[in-house]
Amino acid sequence: MVLILKQGTSLEDINAMVEEFNDMGFRVGVTNGIGCSILGLIGDTKSLDIGALELMDHVEKVLRVQEPYKLANKKFHPESTIVDVEGVKIGGGHFAVIAGPCSVESESQIISVARSVKASGARMLRGGAYKPRTSPYSFQGLEVEGLDLLLKAKAETGLPIVSEIMSPKLCEIFEEKVDVIQIGARNMQNFDLLKEVGKMSRPVVLKRGLSNSYEEWVMSAEYIMAGGNSNVILCERGIRTFESFTRNTLDISAIPAIKKMSHLPIIVDPSHAGGMSWMVESLALAAIAAGADGLMIEVHNDPQHALSDGQQSLNPKQFDDFMKKSFPLVQAFHPGM
Amino acid sequence: MVLILKQGTSLEDINAMVEEFNDMGFRVGVTNGIGCSILGLIGDTKSLDIGALELMDHVEKVLRVQEPYKLANKKFHPESTIVDVEGVKIGGGHFAVIAGPCSVESESQIISVARSVKASGARMLRGGAYKPRTSPYSFQGLEVEGLDLLLKAKAETGLPIVSEIMSPKLCEIFEEKVDVIQIGARNMQNFDLLKEVGKMSRPVVLKRGLSNSYEEWVMSAEYIMAGGNSNVILCERGIRTFESFTRNTLDISAIPAIKKMSHLPIIVDPSHAGGMSWMVESLALAAIAAGADGLMIEVHNDPQHALSDGQQSLNPKQFDDFMKKSFPLVQAFHPGM
Amino acid sequence: MVLILKQGTSLEDINAMVEEFNDMGFRVGVTNGIGCSILGLIGDTKSLDIGALELMDHVEKVLRVQEPYKLANKKFHPESTIVDVEGVKIGGGHFAVIAGPCSVESESQIISVARSVKASGARMLRGGAYKPRTSPYSFQGLEVEGLDLLLKAKAETGLPIVSEIMSPKLCEIFEEKVDVIQIGARNMQNFDLLKEVGKMSRPVVLKRGLSNSYEEWVMSAEYIMAGGNSNVILCERGIRTFESFTRNTLDISAIPAIKKMSHLPIIVDPSHAGGMSWMVESLALAAIAAGADGLMIEVHNDPQHALSDGQQSLNPKQFDDFMKKSFPLVQAFHPGM
Amino acid sequence: MVLILKQGTSLEDINAMVEEFNDMGFRVGVTNGIGCSILGLIGDTKSLDIGALELMDHVEKVLRVQEPYKLANKKFHPESTIVDVEGVKIGGGHFAVIAGPCSVESESQIISVARSVKASGARMLRGGAYKPRTSPYSFQGLEVEGLDLLLKAKAETGLPIVSEIMSPKLCEIFEEKVDVIQIGARNMQNFDLLKEVGKMSRPVVLKRGLSNSYEEWVMSAEYIMAGGNSNVILCERGIRTFESFTRNTLDISAIPAIKKMSHLPIIVDPSHAGGMSWMVESLALAAIAAGADGLMIEVHNDPQHALSDGQQSLNPKQFDDFMKKSFPLVQAFHPGM
């Protein structure tokens, strides 16, 4: 932590501050300049509140030096985390595609989609049973029945299943039925939910919030990890910007940035990012080339009649074409897959 | 709902579409132009998914005409809602200031702040017992003990209390102990929580999400109202933009905009918006002049040693000065108060 | 300037860096900690490039302490600048309203608007003769003829005139005919134009760019002042955010922020900020209450048939109503006016 | 153009409006519904101002159907434009890398960089002679001397040169000396400059503004094309968002979006987008995979001592490594190159 003092702070005042920080257990280095003096605080400053320090009488500005995250920090854990879901690996050189409909709508729908995405090369099946919808009048999901239909699809195809949890009340049922717990963008800072999911044994896909910084996103992963669950996969799904042509703006820089900050795997959801099916292929290929560890893609057997997100879903044929097109790229970036 | 058809759509295809929509219960008006044809759908289109319609073969673009909210819509409920909390009224010409610390820290702290803000003219007491913190290592609140301390402060001063709920599990305890339930910005689209709070009898302060549009905000109010709880107060607290000098960007236009869209009251939180105590007065006065129905201001007895948000809290003396300065403005905009 | 060094940087390396900076004329203070070492550079660091310093072998992070602006900096020029345009003063306690149409369209139009805004209390007349339009097919302004019509309106009413310059080629003609030079949002970082306008003798209204930070905005004022023209009025006119209900988002916090950073006056343009005439009054009152030194408001004799920006223009009656309503507020915030 | 009328508009009023539009030369289709009536205007509505129409007494909302750009519109010019600069082709399946320093600093610097980037496979040389700098105290470029040094580098290597123009006064000298005229992000809506460049014979690289939408960007290309210069290359270089980890946010979706809207080529500048040299490779590979027609990359012989943008420049070795790594990807996406 670095404190820039106001111009004209007297030596006496500086000494008083140094003493105060020493009493709190910090070592302090002082640089006295013409324009201003600078204090460098050495010690575990994670608990200090920058805002409160800035209120001190002689302080002009406070600058943090250390990152506020530890368990998710690459500096303290240099090797990449590999998340293993019944043998399907993501991270540390391993790449996998998760595919499936936005919402589980019926047994025939989910089984048909599961079969086709598996045939095209997907390694996990996604499907929403509890749906976060902007309108209370929109379809809210089949709930627990939806989870059971996902389990039937898993029984048919062997694909592990990924589904979104929206409430801490559902942790028990998700722990029992779902292979990978998804936390949606709107719940990225639902800290109560993060704490509960931290106690679960299932791996977690943590989507980035609509307007959350990389650091806030990693801090949310830190919440889950601090609870004991270290199998967190970060998922970039587009951020909210001024550009309204696309549903969101895919922040492709998140891939190299997260890989520098953290050892956790990062995957990309090109369906929500662009919000339009014709854009999925371009964005997905870009994500692979930028170094993503996986993709999560919406596939629906009949997008025109989907109960949600039809406009951004690929149909099975489009998904198959994409998988074929992406294959050499995945191999180039993940040799041995 | 208006559908713009692709150039060159044949009359046959148009007729087929009209028939399909008629079968779904809509009346359809057709405008055939040189450049393109336009279909106007008349009926209850709230359930139609724009995205799915845009996937139809001949559709170029779909435009919604009606707002997707009903209970919160000023068109269907022209008179302003007045929320009454034990005699303290907000909305419909009534104005009130809610003040108190970010977090409840101790009995002496909350009682001292409560007394001083009451003396300065505040009508309700705010205080966080469950705190949404970006870091799992930051102070998370006194939890139920904090609520009990708020009740003591209420017993001392008569001020109704406002506190943030973070989990549906806490609805019962909040229903019992808290006068006004606050939903924080990070939970504005925690739909599970919105639904549960909709079943409560307590009024709700619904903060705007960091990057949520006016319409999404009103839709979240609609969730609560659809559950049966119509006492919703919207609270603008700054949005996230590229400007990082301030913690958030206070969107002052939200006041006239919301008043045009909805009959619900809107208040402003200048503390979180600017994030710096020296800015609170300017922003709060602007909010009054723009027509806000109330303010929520952070006041702490000792901001330098606050456990959270010290840098944006006023001390009791600063708050008192502000209240004196704002009084003529409040009177000018709310005659009779 | 503060340099945070990488963990494990040796004492030798630190000494070598210190020597290098000493050779460049800086004094260096060193703080050696457990986690990291910190160098504090004292001297005129304005010319140092942060990015280049960050490329140095042992440097983890570079933090700037001093603001990069000097002439516009309140620290070096604590008293507020008062811009005086033929006796109309803005800043340092003086408040004035500038009003008029988006574009000058005809002699009768501009004279009729000038007369009515003067009668309502406006102190300067605005009107565009050269128009920055998104589309090459839109009305581009009457050009020099427009300036001459403004001069006629000035002759009739005595109101000084404000008009936007779009090209350095026009500096001579603007110097001759226009009282206050406006630089539009889209040209805020047209550095070539800023340099030329810096050589003019006329005061300048510098609008904030659509997505420029306070610091960049003040740096653009610094360009003009560095050229010798110190009469710069900053004008907040809304920034671009994710919210599309309004044309732009009025950043009301700019008023207290700029007043803390700089001695230059700041005015607000509520017409462009909201983009809708029914919102102008709320935003303008908020600006006065937040401490603005003036307003720039679009007024058109016949908004429905305006050649540009009709939807955000007040008609003369609406403007008169607003001026009457705002009068007590202006008096309260600017006693003696 | 579609006009949604207010509820309760009488048949008489509708007929009056239809007549008025007929008089203006438009055909009008009317759809009378229960909730509202809809008018569809057929004709050349490009000149109509949406804002002014929305001020009409009975109009609730106006929706545009046609794009406001014509010359740049893919609908009217389906085949891709190929820009040919002395045999180097960009667009329509042709891909090229433009590389070089941010600023031209000296003869030895620019010639050394030119030679090395040519050896690595770059096809054009970039270098700034007139520099847009946020601060008036930063290095502003070597100006015309810089252009002459670029010409020397061209004479040595045969690489066509790309350089940024900042003022209409310089059109003549750029027409004479520079092969491709660059318009920087800050000047994307400097309409005066766009008009002048439209009269030049040299191809233009038009960078996207920091917060400009795709449509505004294409409209700026339309300005240049309307002047007679149809060789416009669009360059995505990152937009401004809330995320401050990166200098800007690379909007990778711009590639598929622009390719759908326009026939013009689009290239990507990963150096300015990320603002950090270690991120360039990931972003550049992503751009190729998303379908970009080229790249513009900053390369400096000694980034630590660059006079501008050192932190985002590759050194020649890093650039060579990137080019080797990208080669198979370019070939996969542009067979035959």
Side-chain angles (χ1 to χ4, degrees), chain B residues 253, chain C residues 237-238 244-250 269-280 283 298 309-314, chain D residues 49-52 54-55:
Chain B
S253 313
Chain C
R237 43 75 75 207
S244 60
F245 183 94
T246 44
R247 182 169 175 181
N248 297 287
T249 295
L250 177 62
D269 172 350
S271 309
H272 281 85
M276 291 173 284
S277 57
W278 59 267
M279 208 179 246
V280 168
L283 301 185
E298 288 193 352
D309 280 354
Q311 79 281 15
Q312 70 193 32
S313 297
L314 300 184
Chain D
D49 186 54
I50 288 188
E54 282 184 342
L55 289 174

Side-chain angles (χ1 to χ4, degrees), chain B residues 178-198:
Chain B
V178 176
D179 298 304
V180 178
I181 311 300
Q182 180 178 316
I183 294 182
R186 284 165 188 76
N187 280 317
M188 193 204 89
Q189 291 194 316
N190 179 342
F191 300 114
D192 187 61
L193 184 61
L194 297 177
K195 284 178 190 169
E196 293 301 323
V197 167

Side-chain angles (χ1 to χ4, degrees), chain A residues 310-330:
Chain A
Q311 79 281 16
Q312 70 193 31
S313 297
L314 300 183
N315 63 36
K317 168 79 173 69
Q318 291 167 326
F319 179 69
D320 194 62
D321 289 347
F322 161 73
M323 290 297 279
K324 283 188 182 120
K325 189 156 184 187
S326 72
F327 189 64
L329 198 58
V330 171

Side-chain angles (χ1 to χ4, degrees), chain C residues 133 137 186 189 222-223, chain D residues 133 137 186 189 222-223:
Chain C
R133 303 302 299 272
Y137 311 120
R186 284 164 187 77
Q189 291 195 316
E222 187 87 5
Y223 257 96
Chain D
R133 302 301 300 272
Y137 311 119
R186 284 164 189 77
Q189 291 195 316
E222 186 88 6
Y223 257 96

Side-chain angles (χ1 to χ4, degrees), chain D residues 55 66 72 76 99 122 127 173 191 209 235 252 271 289 310 314 322:
Chain D
L55 289 174
Q66 282 174 304
F76 307 126
I173 203 170
F191 300 114
C235 179
I252 198 84
S271 309
L314 299 184
F322 161 72

